[in-house]
Amino acid sequence: MDAIQINQVTKTYRVGATETHALDHINLTIGEGEFTALVGPSGSGKTTLLQIIGCLDKPDQGTVLIKGQEVTRLSANQRADLRRTSIGFVFQFFALVPVLTAYENVELPLLLSGMKTSERRARVLELLNAVGLEDRAHHRPDQLSGGQQQRVAIARALGPRPVLVLADEPTANLDTANGHQAMEIMQRLNQETGTAFVYATHDPRVIAFARRVVKMEDGKIIDNL
Amino acid sequence: MLSKLWILAYRDLGRNRRRTILSIVAVALGLGLLILMNGYIAGVMDESVQNNIRLNTGHLQIRADSYTEGELSLAWPDLLRDPEVLAAHAATLPGVRGAAPVLWAGGVIATPNDSLGIQITGIDPTSTIYDPIREALVGGVFLSADDRTGIMIGRRLAEELGLAVGSDVSLTVVDSDGNADEGVFTVRGLFHTGIPSYDQGSVLMPLAKAQAFARTERRASAIMIMLHDNQALVSVSAALRSPDLQLLSWQDMNRLFLETMQTGLAFYYILDGIVMLIVAVIIANTLLMSVFERIREMGILSALGMKGRHLTQMLLLEAACMGLVGIALGLVLGLGGVAYLTYVGITIGDIASVAGDSIALGSTIHGRFVPETFAGLSIATFIFVLLAALYPAWYAARLEPVVALRG
């Protein structure tokens, strides 16, 4: 079964009398365990597509299926449940909760999932170890570098063993070395866990990590390699 | 989950410490003020009632059915015929600390230079119910039952008329036949109860002399009964009930004052509400500011699968944290203030005399600890704080994740 199946998805933003077609009849299928780059210039619709796949937003038309489940008609709570159990997010800005430590940030989605304490603790340490931050477990985000924060975010995204991880410009705020390291970690975890990764970028060095590249322009998919 | 939300809430409050501290201070000051105000009012009410019971009314009075308070009637049908028998019977009842006949008459006290209207009270000097006067003696000696020319007056009255222990004064009373009778009496003792209206307007003399002076024979205006505590009021009243007598409890005799205070309390309830509303607005503002500053973070939490109710709980916990700390500080402030009022008090001097005879306020007003009221105020403050958090919590809960993530 495909991880994601998108059929004829359309999204239009209206500001006054102006209409912007962010997504224009998009059809896309992402298989399990794929490592896919969504590429295109700013305003091409990458972020909007990720938000719709991630159940953060709803399309105006069309359907989105995650592991065969149609998600566009779900209630807000059902979408929250789906995000918690099946989707991980990595954002461009290092989206950690600033008052929680690295350990607690990774632990948060596991807590929301109701995982038992001992299991949770083992899982958090395993993930922090996987991103090389076991010695930074009790540091808060403001005590971590940008690269370290993004690695914590990657660990957090994988916590509940999701079907897919969506990453919106994950290296945009990192220097080359840290960006490279973050992508290497994502690539390795994709191979180790079988979790599908879809990341948006327009950086050629980051695109190079992908096994599949989907090109977008003006809300349409123009190339699907 | 709740434990992590507690941690989140607690740490969120630490982000803008100054704002959080100011909000906590607002809760503390608000509650402290409410406790102080309510402790003060309770003290004023209680002190006034207790003073009235102690000096004027007792816990219970037996009067002739036709006796009207305020007229100080000396007409025989309005007086009790065998007061000693009644008093002796009352004194044997369980819960009664003391019972004694008393005779009241309106009169005038005069010196060569001045004269004043006063209330003459014929008392049984041997009765324990007059212990408060005995303890308030500041000059001379207490009356003896067989003293035929001695009186006691308040120090304030003595100062006003230029009298001292040993001074002779003229007293005039309209007796039971309606004739004015005059007699010369010697001041044996001076008392200072601290109640200006009592110290200025009362002349005490032995009951036998008062009865002879007012020509009431052995009759009395009332039997004044003091109880060990209020719980005996019902049983003692039941035991003394008789068709031709009226029984008046201290509540009956202080009805006007109690009703006036109840009316006045409505004003304080409004004031309580205003203070709580101000506190609520401050808390709502703090939390709303906090939500506005964290909109993107709310989006992240939503993206992680946190539901609206979790965000609501988190905001309510933040409010609860601020509320509980503020309430704890408010209790310290308020109880400290009430302790000062209770043990030291506020000296108001002569202002109390302006309050009139029905309010037996002393020249120093004291507060009173009212635990149930203070607990009620604390709980009400906590509820107000939580209610104040509902709007920010509702706002946070209904944020669309995608909008929140844009900040």
Side-chain angles (χ1 to χ4, degrees):
Chain A
M1 186 182 291
D2 294 323
I4 310 164
Q5 200 179 335
I6 298 165
N7 303 308
Q8 293 294 314
V9 162
T10 300
K11 182 73 180 179
T12 304
Y13 293 112
R14 291 173 187 81
V15 180
T18 311
E19 284 193 351
T20 306
H21 299 285
L23 297 177
D24 189 1
H25 297 91
I26 296 281
N27 291 299
L28 180 68
T29 301
I30 306 282
E32 284 184 28
E34 279 191 8
F35 199 73
T36 304
L38 211 52
V39 302
S42 292
S44 60
K46 305 186 295 292
T47 298
T48 304
L49 184 56
L50 286 182
Q51 285 169 344
I52 285 176
I53 296 171
C55 299
L56 294 170
D57 202 358
K58 284 183 172 183
D60 296 331
Q61 289 176 33
T63 58
V64 176
L65 281 75
I66 296 178
K67 290 286 277 182
Q69 183 188 5
E70 217 284 276
V71 299
T72 52
R73 288 190 183 83
L74 296 180
S75 69
N77 276 344
Q78 287 171 323
R79 281 185 287 140
D81 284 335
L82 192 70
R83 286 196 297 272
R84 198 183 66 236
T85 55
S86 305
I87 306 168
F89 291 93
V90 179
F91 296 98
Q92 176 181 342
F93 53 92
F94 315 127
L96 301 179
V97 180
V99 294
L100 298 181
T101 63
Y103 181 98
E104 290 165 335
N105 264 286
V106 178
E107 185 188 28
L108 192 56
L110 305 179
L111 265 167
L112 291 168
S113 302
M115 191 181 277
K116 286 181 185 167
T117 309
S118 57
E119 194 184 343
R120 200 168 66 226
R121 181 177 164 74
R123 179 73 178 143
V124 174
L125 293 175
E126 177 194 341
L127 287 163
L128 285 174
N129 191 40
V131 297
L133 286 174
E134 62 276 17
D135 58 335
R136 292 283 187 273
H138 300 294
H139 288 63
R140 289 200 189 180
D142 59 1
Q143 297 166 318
L144 299 172
S145 69
Q148 288 171 330
Q149 287 186 55
Q150 200 61 310
R151 279 147 63 194
V152 174
I154 294 167
R156 183 181 65 187
L158 284 160
R161 296 187 173 86
V163 175
L164 77 152
V165 170
L166 302 171
D168 190 7
E169 307 267 9
T171 61
N173 286 333
L174 299 177
D175 57 34
T176 306
N178 276 310
H180 191 84
Q181 188 183 23
M183 288 311 299
E184 276 183 345
I185 289 171
M186 282 170 49
Q187 194 177 46
R188 176 167 51 80
L189 291 172
N190 164 254
Q191 287 161 4
E192 287 173 5
T193 63
T195 302
F197 276 72
V198 180
Y199 62 93
T201 185
H202 51 253
D203 183 342
R205 289 168 300 183
V206 177
I207 297 170
F209 283 88
R211 288 204 298 276
R212 180 182 171 196
V213 177
V214 177
K215 287 185 181 170
M216 293 187 71
E217 201 174 284
D218 297 332
K220 292 177 180 164
I221 291 175
I222 57 168
D223 209 348
N224 192 347
L225 304 170
Chain B
M1 183 61 209
L2 202 62
S3 63
K4 190 54 69 177
L5 286 179
W6 261 113
I7 292 172
L8 263 175
Y10 173 73
R11 292 189 188 165
D12 281 335
L13 290 173
R15 293 189 203 207
N16 193 328
R17 283 204 181 88
R18 190 184 302 170
R19 190 173 60 201
T20 301
I21 288 170
L22 284 175
S23 300
I24 288 171
V25 166
V27 175
L29 286 178
L31 180 63
L33 179 68
L34 292 179
I35 287 176
L36 192 66
M37 217 160 63
N38 281 271
Y40 169 77
I41 290 301
V44 168
M45 282 185 72
D46 193 50
E47 199 160 280
S48 182
V49 169
Q50 290 305 324
N51 284 337
N52 242 350
I53 290 172
R54 214 161 44 94
L55 300 171
N56 290 326
T57 66
H59 288 103
L60 195 62
Q61 281 185 19
I62 307 171
R63 297 177 187 166
D65 202 30
S66 59
Y67 188 86
T68 312
E69 192 184 14
E71 287 181 13
L72 297 180
S73 171
L74 293 171
W76 287 12
D78 295 336
L79 302 178
L80 295 170
R81 210 164 1 148
D82 297 309
E84 282 83 7
V85 176
L86 270 172
H89 171 57
T92 61
L93 295 173
V96 173
R97 187 160 61 81
V102 62
L103 183 72
W104 293 301
V108 174
I109 186 169
T111 66
N113 303 319
D114 207 352
S115 62
L116 278 173
I118 42 87
Q119 178 177 300
I120 297 168
T121 306
I123 65 167
D124 174 4
T126 61
S127 174
T128 56
I129 68 172
Y130 297 107
D131 285 349
I133 308 291
R134 199 172 280 114
E135 289 158 9
L137 201 66
V138 290
V141 294
F142 200 71
L143 294 170
S144 59
D146 57 353
D147 192 340
R148 306 300 290 173
T149 57
I151 58 169
M152 286 177 64
I153 60 174
R155 190 171 64 188
R156 286 177 66 92
L157 181 61
E159 285 169 358
E160 196 160 341
L161 294 175
L163 299 172
V165 173
S167 298
D168 288 338
V169 291
S170 166
L171 286 179
T172 306
V173 67
V174 177
D175 66 23
S176 60
D177 300 325
N179 301 317
D181 285 326
E182 190 180 355
V184 175
F185 294 83
T186 303
V187 177
R188 300 267 189 256
L190 300 176
F191 55 82
H192 178 67
T193 63
I195 313 302
S197 59
Y198 192 83
D199 292 346
Q200 201 167 8
S202 300
V203 171
L204 308 183
M205 68 173 65
L207 179 63
K209 177 59 191 174
Q211 287 167 328
F213 188 38
R215 299 181 195 283
T216 64
E217 297 201 341
R218 296 182 69 81
R219 291 174 173 76
S221 305
I223 307 296
M224 206 156 99
I225 300 166
M226 294 295 287
L227 303 174
H228 287 295
D229 58 61
N230 251 331
Q231 290 176 336
L233 191 64
V234 175
S235 61
V236 173
S237 298
L240 293 171
R241 204 165 297 285
S242 170
D244 55 341
L245 299 175
Q246 51 174 321
L247 275 170
L248 295 168
S249 69
W250 62 269
Q251 291 105 322
D252 299 326
M253 292 178 282
N254 291 286
R255 187 172 303 283
L256 178 65
F257 170 73
L258 291 172
E259 284 175 357
T260 306
M261 286 308 286
Q262 285 303 326
T263 309
L265 278 180
F267 168 74
Y268 280 94
Y269 294 148
I270 293 169
L271 217 57
D272 288 352
I274 290 171
V275 172
M276 285 189 197
L277 271 179
I278 291 170
V279 169
V281 168
I282 291 170
I283 294 290
N285 179 59
T286 298
L287 289 175
L288 210 51
M289 295 278 285
S290 166
V291 169
F292 287 152
E293 287 169 5
R294 287 187 285 159
I295 283 183
R296 179 177 278 185
E297 198 178 307
M298 301 279 174
I300 295 166
L301 294 173
S302 289
L304 295 178
M306 199 177 256
K307 293 177 182 172
R309 68 180 162 86
H310 291 131
L311 295 174
T312 302
Q313 283 171 1
M314 194 175 74
L315 268 290
L316 288 177
L317 287 172
E318 286 182 29
C321 275
M322 282 193 285
L324 288 174
V325 176
I327 285 167
L329 287 175
L331 279 169
V332 171
L333 284 176
L335 294 178
V338 175
Y340 177 83
L341 285 181
T342 303
Y343 300 116
V344 180
I346 298 175
T347 305
I348 57 168
D350 285 353
I351 296 171
S353 60
V354 182
D357 292 346
S358 62
I359 302 178
L361 282 176
S363 51
T364 303
I365 288 185
H366 294 95
R368 187 162 76 91
F369 284 94
V370 204
E372 63 279 7
T373 302
F374 298 162
L377 286 170
S378 302
I379 292 167
T381 303
F382 189 63
I383 290 169
F384 263 72
V385 166
L386 290 184
L387 288 176
L390 282 181
Y391 175 66
W394 172 80
Y395 183 89
R398 62 184 281 276
L399 276 172
E400 281 294 327
V402 70
V403 176
L405 281 168
R406 284 189 210 121

